[in-house]
Amino acid sequence: MAGEERVAPVTGRRELNTSLMVQQVTDRVEVLCLSGVLDTEGAAALGRELAGRLGSTPPERRLILDLTGLRLLSAAGIQVLDTHTRHLSHRPVFVVVAAPHAREIFSIAPAPGLRVCATLDAALASLPDVALPTAVEATDTAEVLSEEVLGLRAKARTGAVIGMAQGILLERYGLVDSQAAFDLLRQASQHHNVPLRVLASAVVTAPAPTAPSAEWFPGRLPAPPPSSNLLATGDQQALDRGQLLRALVYEVVTVADADAAEIHLVDPAMHNSLVLEAHSGLDAAYRDRVAQVNDPRTVPGRARLRGEPVQVADVLTDPALVASDEDRMLPATGSRSLCSVPALSEDGECVGTITVHNTRPGTWLTQVQVSALRTLAEDLAAWHSWYRRTVVLDALEYVHAHGQTARAS
């Protein structure tokens, strides 16, 4: 299989609404992953991309359009897809659509050049003329392809936020190009050990500096990390975001006697979504599905909305999960019962969720275990607040100081 990856924006705007990532995974199959919002401008650019790609595609080649990452598919986007693929009704382009709303759109207004599939594996199975020598090879190839596409979608999810941050820094400090803006972000990320996506999100959402030469956050006093059992190993762990979240998820699994667990934190720059930050015992397909949660019918979504723990005794009979199409994904992971606990800030705002899984149906958590999860969620919220007000702001000050230096030079 070919492993070369190409990345291209669909729109030319500084703050990209739509992004396209292309992966040629075999000599006969190419996957185009779209993410973001396919609005009118994005649809026009996608039309140009499809015109060039379909016009030069040999008859034996097949394209898979993966729309899983699209949050919104506009009427203009649907029209462009239909216009540029209608002539392929005898040799359809395949569209992988996991989002129920997109599948519903195509069921109402079918496009003859598109064949809608729910998963990537289903799309691959629908390619009879791209047969592999043996069933084992076919299975292996589908699995590798799935992993590659999941990786592309993960990059696409963060790429738009990083791109927006680059645009802000490029304009604010008069940097020579977007690469210089990316280098500035990367240096600050490495210096303060703040993940690039987290730092980019902070650049996008933080108020701009009040004066060109001033500190970004003047008068800010250093604060020690909050005291909690979660931070029993000391201040160094509090500074290491990844280490702390990994320690937390393993503690969650132990406390809840769970088979799997996931931790989400709210990211304002990613449409205020719950973003998966740590996990244990979850497969790649499920992690991709819950990487960015907005649906209030999901278990973490309900816990966030209600501000209290939510337990689901059986995912197969829970009406909300059936309606949200999650009832098929969760049993595939082996999960049958779940509990999600919100992490609430001091003012009652939900800043994240802790969710545990059990392979057996039924409410397995005791009141003591739920209380322990609440305590861990409180610790998570307290640390998250301190980390944003201390470590992330330190990284932003680094960006500001070095951005000013770059402007002066």
Side-chain angles (χ1 to χ4, degrees), residues 349-396:
E349 179 187 4
C350 181
V351 300
T353 57
I354 295 174
T355 305
V356 291
H357 299 236
N358 199 303
T359 56
R360 301 180 304 277
T363 304
W364 85 95
L365 291 172
T366 66
Q367 288 300 316
V368 172
Q369 288 174 315
V370 173
S371 178
L373 289 177
R374 281 181 180 270
T375 299
L376 289 173
E378 291 172 0
D379 289 347
L380 172 62
W383 167 82
H384 180 255
S385 175
W386 170 83
Y387 185 85
R388 287 188 301 110
R389 291 182 290 105
T390 304
V391 182
V392 174
L393 295 191
D394 286 346
L396 289 180

Side-chain angles (χ1 to χ4, degrees), residues 246-301:
R246 286 191 297 271
L248 173 60
V249 80
Y250 293 136
E251 181 70 13
V252 165
V253 169
T254 301
V255 164
D257 190 23
D259 297 305
E262 57 192 271
I263 295 173
H264 288 83
L265 290 173
V266 174
D267 190 328
M270 296 181 72
H271 302 273
N272 216 32
S273 302
L274 287 168
V275 176
L276 183 66
E277 301 284 359
H279 69 90
S280 175
L282 301 174
D283 63 24
Y286 179 79
R287 297 198 304 271
D288 177 71
R289 188 67 169 268
V290 299
Q292 191 172 338
V293 176
N294 294 293
D295 193 340
R297 296 170 298 184
T298 62
V299 182

